[in-house]
Amino acid sequence: MNYITKKGALQKACLSIVILFFLQLKGFSQVQNVPVNLRVDNLICEYKINPISVDAANPRLSWKLITTDRNIEQTAYEIRVGSNAVSLTKAKDIIWTSGKVLSDQSVHVYYGGPTLTSRQKCYWQVRVWNNKNQVSPWSMVNFWKMGLLKPTDWTAKWIQNTYQSDTTGGPSPMFRKAFILDHKIRAAHLYITAHGVFEAQINGKRVGNDYFTPGWTSYNKRLQYQVYDVTSLLKKGDNATGVTLGDGWYRGYTYNRRKDVYGKKLALLYQLEVVYTNGKRQIISSDKSWRVAYGPIRSSSFFDGEVYDARKEKAGWSEPTYRNLTWDTVKTDETIKDNLIATSGPTVKKHEKFLPLKVFNTPEGDRVVDFGQNLVGWVQFKLKAKAGDTIKLFHAEVLDQKGNFYTKNLRTAKQEITYVFKDDSTTTFEPHFTFQGFRFLKVVGYKGPLDSTNLAAYALYSDMAQTGKFSTSNPLVNQLQHNIQWGQKGNFIDVPTDCPQRDERMGWTGDAQAFCRTATFNMDVAGFFTKWLKDLSADQHKDGAVPYVIPNVLDSVSAAASGWSDVATIAPWNIYLAYGDKQVLQQQYESMKAWVGYIQQHSRNYLWDTGNHFGDWLFYAGTNYEDGAALTDKNLIAQAFYAYSTQLLIKAGKVLGRSDDVQKYTLLLYNIKKAFLAEYVTPNGRMISGTQTSYVLALNFDMLPENLRESAAKRLVHNIEDYDEHITTGFLGTPYICHVLSRFGHTDIAYDLLMKESYPSWLYPVKNGATTIWERWDGIKPDGSFEDPEMNSFNHYAYGAIGDWMYRVIAGINTDEGDPGFHSILIAPRPGGKLSSAQAELETLYGKVKSAWSIDNGTFTLDVIVPPNTTATVLLPSVTDQITEGGVDINTVKDITDIKKTGHDAQMSIGSGTYHFVYTMKTYGKHNN
Ligand code: BGC
């Protein structure tokens, strides 16, 4: 072949590659060469797009089918994994191909190739076949990269400073190292973690956009490291890096001002791995050659804020030109590294920005800024003052009755930022190792104008994609949904916390249990809870007791409370339902068993009536808290949750095929219920505590025999009516009350509860200007005064658990327990509460599910989206004779099958696609239009 022909062949090849690529983009199949309306997209590995720190031996791969056709199901898939992004076809680059697998599975498909090794990068793509005999083009190529899988992969050493003053609340040490890279760089990855929290820089630039890394885990057993692709921050020649450490959760203050929970000394572990274009590698590690000094962060604490003295800044300290001659040497520490794990959950990132709504002086003369939203994060300022001037920022959630800045409910948490200016240039500043829960900012020590040009509040929370949307025709309910979402944002800071402002901020298990299911409707919390549940297993006591808080920072007796410790069974089950994730059940199964085992050990004749329980925390107590008529016997609650945990264990056992366990625990459950009936229920079905929570738990957990359930539901309704249709439940009854009412045909009463605007109710705080969910039904009392400042958070998510009912019943989006993760969907909206419309969307692992209804003059319209590779059962409420879909009688629509009437409802099956139902509604229930 002469040169000309060679060139021509090359051009031809290039052209065909371009055409192929174009065809793929356009949805043309390269196999059939005919256009198909079928693509594969949204490839994720272990819930992440292109993760670079995977430590699962067999990572799970998921993808979405994209098509506008109806009734599309996947019938087969093929995955190929290779070592080269460009070519996934050449045998030499292929790591694994699944071959054509006849299966409808498009989520959580295990990689099935050879054992993966540390740092290995795998490129992958998928194509699918559908039930219309079509094959998709190959998807775009995504990748995942393995983390450091063995302790011996870490050649870096832990380093510490030798300062006496290196104690909790002390200055932040800055570690530095200059180095030379002597070739052109192909790729560079930083593997880094700390005892404390860290911020790293390379050549003067911040590494990554995560905050409070390495995150909070049960450090002594599980310490996450982060991985960053830092190729673009490095260059051939002189380089430098620097890392600042803060106390964080490691040794910072926690409950009752306890500190040094995991250790007394901050430390850094840093391993920068550079691969040159010539294939050679160089590693820059934390070791004796590093230098350390104190800088501008004089102290930092999650509770108390930060003190920053700009006069102590070391300009250019992470750049190669900086001279660190006066810096001190470091000491190395041989701490074993077998607790290191890759970061699995989402890291904390900066999200929404709020500008000042107004700036005003309070009656007490404070200068205060209102950001309009109770949020968790910090304030960034851009101000100019004189060298040595000090500005102080204080943070509060609310103003008091008289309009003054109110911080009593923060208890001992200072939430205070102190900044000392170094000169008279304009300075932009935001804190580093702290976060505040606030809506209002008090500014002291700065007299100049304050406005949206120089102040902004940023929300910081775990980086979970917002997957759910919910709204109705009622603005108050919409504000409630807003408050639920902001309660979630503010309290999902690496772990699910109880409150983000006062001196607690811990992973209270009861709160997490109550809110978990709602959380799955608002955001993608799969990775978040999977990580936290591993810490639960790690901190669970040997006898199975689950601590009150996870990660556990309390003493050894603070464990095993009903409704709190049951998060061990409830959260894995909820994650399984929302994401069809069997692995989380597998991962937690022994922990679930151990928790049920603990209760067994502490029961007599199947009755669990010992131990310390919080009971139906913060139920409506009237005027006298402990004597409140709505007080539910704590042991009754314990017995009900004992049954529920056992029930969930049985369900998990069935999913995992543990038939011996299923048999064993089914018998146990029978005896638990029998003991419950004998101890707490009269033969006629009256409960010893005649409270809403008592009936709600008994009914929700199926504690009563069938023949007593209807009457018990009526007793619940009567109780609600006795309270003039107000809710009286606390943390444990609240998540289920409306579900129980709906299940027993009292959705109208559930709507009464939802729509109530006077205390106690969900809308009472909304009417009082809440922008988040309050800890108490009456955080601000009807007379404007506050509840006890010892326990009065304005950002607590537990009561936000109504969100689950709003999605599942008002909008009617649900998953089939037998085929979870929204693979089999139930669309069953229940209008009421004088709503003229409601709509919800949920981005599931298969794609978007939508249910949007409206009622106009008796005409009911429902718009539904069912994602590809799923099917749905639709229940249309209160139907009359003719229902149309897309303008024609449903009986003539071929995509709608199994149409039948069940009571006043019409039931039918549909496949994926978009549907538009219309019919005239029969009036039903007292709240229907
Ligand atoms: C927390 C609660 C928690 C409770 C248990 C409180 O201080 O803020 O939300 O569940 O303690 O006692």
Side-chain angles (χ1 to χ4, degrees):
M1 219 192 308
N2 65 28
Y3 171 69
I4 305 285
T5 349
K6 249 196 203 163
K7 200 176 156 200
L10 197 71
Q11 273 173 350
K12 255 190 184 166
C14 287
L15 190 70
S16 49
I17 287 170
V18 170
I19 290 171
L20 258 178
F21 181 70
F22 177 76
L23 288 175
Q24 284 202 25
L25 275 184
K26 285 279 170 201
F28 286 74
S29 160
Q30 80 191 64
V31 174
Q32 299 174 325
N33 273 336
V34 287
V36 286
N37 184 6
L38 180 67
R39 280 192 305 120
V40 184
D41 207 346
N42 297 81
L43 274 63
I44 54 171
C45 170
E46 291 295 329
Y47 291 107
K48 290 185 177 170
I49 303 167
N50 300 336
I52 56 172
S53 64
V54 175
D55 64 2
N58 293 91
R60 290 168 299 167
L61 308 172
S62 307
W63 56 86
K64 287 178 186 167
L65 274 62
I66 313 289
T67 174
T68 48
D69 285 349
R70 274 184 172 178
N71 258 326
I72 294 302
E73 285 174 39
Q74 177 186 296
T75 51
Y77 68 81
E78 184 176 358
I79 302 170
R80 60 187 182 200
V81 180
S83 55
N84 185 329
V86 187
S87 140
L88 282 174
T89 48
K90 284 197 195 130
K92 73 171 178 53
D93 297 323
I94 287 290
I95 298 173
W96 174 66
T97 55
S98 65
K100 184 176 174 182
V101 180
L102 298 182
S103 165
D104 66 350
Q105 194 181 351
S106 59
V107 304
H108 309 310
V109 177
Y110 283 99
Y111 160 80
T115 306
L116 297 165
T117 53
S118 293
R119 308 173 185 88
Q120 188 170 355
K121 192 165 183 181
C122 299
Y123 297 89
W124 68 290
Q125 61 181 169
V126 192
R127 64 174 168 171
V128 299
W129 287 257
N130 69 11
N131 51 340
K132 306 265 153 103
N133 281 327
Q134 294 169 319
V135 55
S136 76
W138 282 99
S139 70
M140 301 294 272
V141 175
N142 270 17
F143 66 84
W144 79 86
K145 188 173 189 304
M146 301 302 285
L148 300 183
L149 305 178
K150 304 184 297 293
T152 49
D153 290 325
W154 289 90
T155 47
K157 297 222 181 315
W158 279 105
I159 54 172
Q160 295 180 334
N161 62 58
T162 51
Y163 303 139
Q164 286 288 321
S165 50
D166 179 30
T167 52
T168 302
S172 277
M174 297 155 73
F175 294 84
R176 175 179 199 279
K177 160 107 184 148
F179 54 93
I180 296 169
L181 299 178
D182 44 23
H183 290 283
K184 215 171 153 210
I185 300 150
R186 180 192 296 157
H189 288 87
L190 172 60
Y191 299 83
I192 180 169
T193 188
H195 290 161
V197 280
F198 70 81
E199 262 189 38
Q201 297 187 4
I202 291 179
N203 293 328
K205 296 228 168 61
R206 193 182 198 277
V207 174
N209 55 358
D210 299 326
Y211 293 87
F212 316 138
T213 41
W216 192 7
T217 47
S218 177
Y219 291 135
N220 298 331
K221 300 156 202 153
R222 294 166 25 82
L223 173 60
Q224 296 189 128
Y225 62 86
Q226 276 74 41
V227 185
Y228 297 99
D229 183 339
V230 292
T231 317
S232 64
L233 299 182
L234 294 162
K235 56 186 191 307
K236 183 178 170 194
D238 289 329
N239 291 273
T241 187
V243 182
T244 312
L245 301 185
D247 293 348
W249 297 284
Y250 187 80
R251 71 171 189 190
Y253 294 109
T254 175
Y255 198 56
N256 279 337
R257 290 266 152 197
R258 203 171 152 221
K259 56 180 183 172
D260 303 334
V261 172
Y262 299 97
K264 284 184 191 252
K265 293 287 171 198
L266 301 180
L268 169 68
L269 187 67
Y270 183 108
Q271 189 161 309
L272 171 61
E273 302 194 350
V274 182
V275 182
Y276 293 119
T277 45
N278 64 7
K280 290 218 170 96
R281 292 155 55 90
Q282 187 173 341
I283 299 183
I284 288 87
S285 301
S286 44
D287 60 19
K288 273 220 150 95
S289 67
W290 285 56
R291 292 291 176 267
V292 65
Y294 283 146
I297 302 178
R298 307 314 295 167
S299 83
S300 73
S301 145
F302 285 142
F303 286 1
D304 296 333
E306 188 164 305
V307 178
Y308 189 97
D309 187 343
R311 294 169 305 182
K312 296 191 183 303
E313 281 173 356
K314 298 183 184 306
W317 70 284
S318 68
E319 289 170 38
T321 44
Y322 184 84
R323 293 283 157 256
N324 56 9
L325 300 175
T326 59
W327 287 43
D328 297 293
T329 52
V330 299
K331 69 170 186 183
T332 54
D333 172 9
E334 294 305 323
T335 309
I336 42 160
K337 298 175 196 118
D338 60 359
N339 62 340
L340 295 178
I341 49 164
T343 303
S344 58
T347 46
V348 173
K349 291 199 196 296
K350 210 193 256 185
H351 295 271
E352 293 87 343
K353 176 181 181 182
F354 292 87
L355 297 176
L357 266 193
K358 59 177 179 180
V359 183
F360 57 98
N361 286 327
T362 66
E364 283 175 353
D366 290 328
R367 201 158 173 231
V368 170
V369 182
D370 179 2
F371 285 100
Q373 172 64 49
N374 193 5
L375 64 105
V376 177
W378 59 47
V379 169
Q380 186 190 71
F381 66 73
K382 189 175 170 198
L383 296 173
K384 188 172 152 65
K386 289 204 298 293
D389 278 1
T390 300
I391 183 174
K392 278 182 183 276
L393 307 179
F394 300 86
H395 303 74
E397 292 184 289
V398 285
L399 302 177
D400 72 10
Q401 232 171 338
K402 295 186 181 137
N404 288 316
F405 197 70
Y406 181 82
T407 54
K408 280 206 187 79
N409 69 327
L410 306 178
R411 305 201 304 216
T412 71
K414 287 196 200 132
Q415 296 214 124
E416 182 182 324
I417 303 295
T418 302
Y419 183 89
V420 185
F421 289 85
K422 68 169 182 285
D423 54 31
D424 60 1
S425 61
T426 302
T427 310
T428 301
F429 173 78
E430 61 182 15
H432 302 80
F433 305 124
T434 183
F435 60 84
Q436 286 78 49
F438 68 104
R439 168 175 167 173
F440 297 96
L441 179 79
K442 178 167 104 180
V443 181
V444 174
Y446 184 80
K447 297 266 179 304
L450 293 172
D451 53 38
S452 54
T453 63
N454 53 21
L455 285 181
Y458 283 94
L460 279 93
Y461 51 88
S462 290
D463 194 29
M464 307 159 295
Q466 183 169 337
T467 46
K469 278 189 198 160
F470 174 89
S471 62
T472 69
S473 53
N474 182 326
L476 295 178
V477 175
N478 297 348
Q479 181 66 36
L480 173 65
Q481 165 66 8
H482 170 97
N483 296 359
I484 295 169
Q485 281 181 324
W486 275 93
Q488 181 163 351
K489 291 174 179 179
N491 284 291
F492 278 48
I493 302 227
D494 215 70
V495 302
T497 62
D498 59 331
C499 54
Q501 72 298 79
R502 70 174 176 230
D503 51 2
E504 288 208 53
R505 311 178 182 204
M506 293 183 295
W508 278 99
T509 47
D511 308 48
Q513 171 276 116
F515 188 68
C516 175
R517 185 97 193 252
T518 297
T520 64
F521 279 99
N522 287 325
M523 294 178 183
D524 173 5
V525 293
F528 180 86
F529 273 109
T530 305
K531 165 206 170 240
W532 185 71
L533 284 168
K534 285 185 184 167
D535 290 304
L536 184 149
S537 302
D539 280 350
Q540 192 167 5
H541 297 182
K542 282 211 167 59
D543 63 0
V546 176
Y548 298 162
V549 300
I550 298 294
N552 188 19
V553 290
L554 304 178
D555 56 27
S556 60
V557 293
S558 298
S562 69
W564 266 248
S565 303
D566 296 287
V567 77
T569 54
I570 295 170
W573 185 251
N574 284 338
I575 297 301
Y576 170 68
L577 289 182
Y579 306 100
D581 186 334
K582 267 193 206 173
Q583 192 173 288
V584 80
L585 291 182
Q586 235 147 27
Q587 171 194 306
Q588 296 305 124
Y589 190 69
E590 289 310 316
S591 152
M592 294 168 85
K593 251 171 101 164
W595 168 236
V596 170
Y598 173 90
I599 311 177
Q600 264 182 295
Q601 288 297 316
H602 290 79
S603 311
R604 279 169 300 135
N605 299 325
Y606 304 102
L607 198 64
W608 187 27
D609 57 359
T610 55
N612 176 47
H613 302 293
F614 299 108
D616 192 24
W617 194 247
L618 299 181
F619 64 93
Y620 168 69
T623 44
N624 184 346
Y625 185 66
E626 279 298 330
D627 295 334
L631 175 69
T632 309
D633 184 282
K634 289 181 180 168
N635 290 327
L636 178 156
I637 293 175
Q639 190 71 5
F641 273 94
Y642 180 16
Y644 189 42
S645 272
T646 308
Q647 177 67 75
L648 294 181
L649 180 58
I650 295 167
K651 288 185 179 187
K654 280 187 186 156
V655 173
L656 301 175
R658 314 278 177 109
S659 45
D660 288 355
D661 281 351
V662 171
Q663 218 178 353
K664 184 168 115 196
Y665 291 110
T666 304
L667 182 61
L668 175 65
L669 182 59
Y670 169 81
N671 285 315
I672 295 169
K673 289 187 181 175
K674 206 166 130 195
F676 179 86
L677 287 178
E679 189 75 8
Y680 301 116
V681 190
T682 67
N684 281 337
R686 190 181 294 273
M687 315 274 305
I688 62 140
S689 298
T691 62
Q692 293 175 13
T693 290
S694 171
Y695 285 102
V696 165
L697 297 183
L699 288 167
N700 198 61
F701 301 157
D702 297 326
M703 304 302 288
L704 306 176
E706 297 274 358
N707 63 330
L708 293 182
R709 292 182 186 175
E710 291 290 334
S711 59
K714 284 205 181 104
R715 287 181 210 273
L716 169 62
V717 170
H718 290 150
N719 183 299
I720 293 169
E721 284 166 354
D722 284 346
Y723 281 95
D724 191 21
E725 290 155 343
H726 286 91
I727 189 167
T728 66
T729 52
F731 280 20
L732 299 186
T734 300
Y736 309 117
I737 188 165
C738 286
H739 282 299
V740 165
L741 289 166
S742 289
R743 175 173 157 196
F744 290 95
H746 303 291
T747 296
D748 51 348
I749 307 291
Y751 270 110
D752 281 342
L753 291 179
L754 178 70
M755 296 298 175
K756 202 66 164 182
E757 295 177 12
S758 51
Y759 160 72
S761 68
W762 282 287
L763 294 188
Y764 169 76
V766 170
K767 290 285 279 188
N768 279 273
T771 57
T772 37
I773 298 292
W774 295 351
E775 177 172 27
R776 293 170 175 268
W777 292 122
D778 61 343
I780 300 174
K781 294 184 188 174
D783 68 2
S785 64
F786 289 123
E787 259 288 0
D788 180 0
E790 281 307 300
M791 275 252 319
N792 200 17
S793 146
F794 291 96
N795 200 353
H796 237 73
Y797 49 56
Y799 289 145
I802 181 64
D804 169 46
W805 182 82
M806 287 156 50
Y807 277 99
R808 283 206 279 151
V809 179
I810 299 183
I813 296 180
N814 215 340
T815 185
D816 180 345
E817 270 203 28
D819 186 14
F822 298 90
H823 188 235
S824 289
I825 300 163
L826 184 65
I827 302 284
R830 292 282 144 197
K834 297 198 172 73
L835 294 177
S836 58
S837 69
Q839 46 273 312
E841 283 180 21
L842 181 67
E843 190 62 38
T844 69
L845 287 178
Y846 297 93
K848 186 193 285 179
V849 180
K850 179 174 175 179
S851 169
W853 59 261
S854 63
I855 304 172
D856 184 11
N857 225 354
T859 302
F860 185 80
T861 307
L862 175 69
D863 286 295
V864 173
I865 298 178
V866 177
N869 204 25
T870 70
T871 54
T873 300
V874 178
L875 264 181
L876 298 174
S878 198
V879 293
T880 44
D881 292 343
Q882 215 208 1
I883 305 168
T884 64
E885 192 288 307
V888 296
D889 186 336
I890 52 168
N891 295 296
T892 64
V893 180
K894 70 170 179 14
D895 302 312
I896 303 177
T897 54
D898 305 326
I899 304 169
K900 53 180 172 245
K901 198 103 189 268
T902 52
H904 293 302
D905 299 340
Q907 185 182 323
M908 63 209 71
S909 302
I910 58 178
S912 67
T914 301
Y915 297 80
H916 178 71
F917 297 98
V918 180
Y919 60 92
T920 307
M921 210 175 189
K922 197 193 244 164
T923 317
Y924 78 103
K926 62 178 175 172
H927 294 298
N928 207 19
N929 278 19

